[in-house]
Amino acid sequence: MTSPVGDRPRVLDSRLGWAGLVILLAATGVAMASAVTTSATTKLWDEALLALVISLAYLATGLILLIRVRWHPVGWLLMVIAFTQAVLFTSNWGARIVTPAFGIDVHWWHWIDHIATYSLFWPAFVALFAIFPDGLGQLSPSHRRYSRWLLFASIPLIIFPFLSDQVRVVTNGPLVPNPTGLALVPINAIEVGTVGVLVLTLMSAAGFVVRSRHASATVRLQHRWLLVATGLMIAWLPIALVASIITGNEGWWTPIVFSYIGIPIAISIAITRYRLYEIDRIISRTLSYGSVLVILGATYFGIVLILRRLFPVEGDISVAISTLVVAFAFLPLVRRTQRVVDRKFFRSRYDA
């Protein structure tokens, strides 16, 4: 029988994991809400919609991983990237007009944007390429040493932005004091350090390509989708850089922004097609129950509106009737939707 003392590290790990997950979800929710309030101020609703779509893509994929494979590092990285995407879109990748939600002081929001830009965004991609798909433990000794070196080299570049003496509002824009008071590292050193982060990102991606070439056939198929998604993004970088300098039009960077959503999509395809992490059952249930919720929600509100139009009486009769209809339709609709999802996306289970 396992001793209570032996269970304590596992309990502590579980509590820390849940605490970290709640903090990340809350922070991402605040960032998404801030994207909406900023768009309401600037009337640029396409920015808020783009922020929500991209952030939710990373958030959903990371959350599924963390639930199925308890506290998997790839899941944590996807959750962190979801948070940074929401923050960067809230600030319109450096906009001066920011309206944070829940009364957050704008100086603190600039600091959050500073941390997301310099400390979290690119280092998260360095770590993602270094450990995908199963962490350091599944790598060969040489690849493990290389990936471990990349992760250790990223640590100073992650910590130093927290100690910056100032925070730059936009690129080449005004500087504001660090609201935390931890003014230990000059802002110029932080900005120069971004070159090191970009170099580490390219080195991590290159190591991922080399590792994929020496992997088994199944692992290469899992890697292929992520390689395609990131390859397209990297290939467009020099085009966007040269075109934006020549034309002065920043719109050339738009495909780069959209390409960020290709990474969670690629990971999702690797999961569903090649049984990565064996979480196809969770994805199947997520698709089916999500579809059911949308259908039943539309049915509920539709019946309420129709009954109130036909029978304009006082009380909640229409609400009660709609609730009964939804309750009776739930289980049959779940079974039917599950069969459709399995037939379209998970043929092996449907055929079995």
Side-chain angles (χ1 to χ4, degrees):
M1 185 175 65
T2 306
S3 64
V5 176
D7 287 338
R8 285 177 186 172
R10 184 175 300 176
V11 172
L12 180 62
D13 175 70
S14 180
R15 289 177 178 176
L16 290 176
W18 283 111
L21 181 59
V22 170
I23 291 172
L24 266 177
L25 286 173
T28 306
V30 170
M32 290 181 178
S34 299
V36 174
T37 55
T38 299
S39 296
T41 302
T42 60
K43 305 302 181 183
L44 299 174
W45 290 104
D46 55 336
E47 293 288 339
L49 180 60
L50 195 58
L52 294 176
V53 170
I54 295 181
S55 297
L56 285 174
Y58 281 95
L59 190 70
T61 307
L63 192 59
I64 290 173
L65 277 180
L66 291 178
I67 292 174
R68 176 60 181 87
V69 186
R70 183 62 61 90
W71 316 137
H72 196 284
V74 172
W76 285 118
L77 291 173
L78 293 175
M79 296 283 289
V80 169
I81 295 174
F83 166 69
T84 61
Q85 291 290 308
V87 171
L88 293 174
F89 273 107
T90 298
S91 303
N92 194 15
W93 290 81
R96 297 175 185 269
I97 300 175
V98 178
T99 309
F102 308 108
I104 299 175
D105 184 80
V106 70
H107 296 292
W108 276 99
W109 186 263
H110 287 316
W111 180 79
I112 295 173
D113 185 21
H114 171 83
I115 296 301
T117 302
Y118 294 108
S119 183
L120 299 178
F121 181 68
W122 286 112
F125 281 102
V126 173
L128 181 64
F129 292 127
I131 68 173
F132 185 82
D134 289 318
L136 292 174
Q138 302 299 319
L139 303 181
S140 66
S142 59
H143 291 148
R144 189 183 307 123
R145 285 193 298 269
Y146 183 75
S147 296
R148 189 174 290 148
W149 177 85
L150 289 173
L151 296 176
F152 277 120
S154 301
I155 291 176
L157 301 174
I158 295 173
I159 295 176
F160 286 166
F162 287 88
L163 308 177
S164 176
D165 59 348
Q166 292 176 305
V167 176
R168 194 179 295 279
V169 176
V170 294
T171 304
N172 298 322
L175 295 171
V176 296
N178 186 342
T180 65
L182 300 174
L184 301 177
V185 181
I187 181 64
N188 293 333
I190 303 299
E191 293 176 339
V192 171
T194 57
V195 178
V197 176
L198 292 176
V199 170
L200 289 177
T201 305
L202 292 176
M203 292 177 64
S204 183
F208 182 71
V209 173
V210 173
R211 183 154 48 92
S212 179
R213 293 185 63 182
H214 293 86
S216 63
T218 302
V219 174
R220 282 201 302 272
L221 291 174
Q222 295 169 353
H223 286 190
R224 181 177 62 185
W225 290 98
L226 186 56
L227 286 171
V228 170
T230 55
L232 293 175
M233 181 172 59
I234 294 173
W236 186 258
L237 277 173
I239 299 175
L241 179 62
V242 174
S244 61
I245 293 175
I246 294 176
T247 63
N249 184 3
E250 297 296 328
W252 287 95
W253 292 99
T254 303
I256 299 294
V257 176
F258 279 101
S259 65
Y260 289 131
I261 200 173
I263 292 177
I265 291 175
I267 294 176
S268 300
I269 293 174
I271 290 171
T272 54
R273 292 197 62 177
Y274 306 111
R275 303 182 66 83
L276 183 58
Y277 310 123
E278 296 183 353
I279 62 175
D280 54 336
R281 180 177 294 275
I282 290 182
I283 294 178
S284 170
R285 294 294 183 268
T286 302
L287 289 174
S288 61
Y289 280 97
S291 303
V292 167
L293 288 177
V294 171
I295 295 172
L296 291 182
T299 302
Y300 176 84
F301 288 108
I303 293 176
V304 170
L305 291 176
I306 292 174
L307 290 179
R308 286 184 175 177
R309 290 246 180 173
L310 295 177
F311 307 102
V313 296
E314 298 292 333
D316 296 324
I317 298 177
S318 58
V319 174
I321 295 175
S322 300
T323 304
L324 289 175
V325 171
V326 168
F328 279 112
F330 179 75
L331 288 179
L333 186 59
V334 166
R335 288 193 291 268
R336 176 61 180 170
T337 305
Q338 189 65 64
R339 286 197 297 270
V340 173
V341 169
D342 288 343
R343 185 168 64 248
K344 294 294 184 181
F345 300 101
F346 305 97
R347 287 294 306 182
S348 58
R349 185 183 304 117
Y350 177 78
D351 293 338

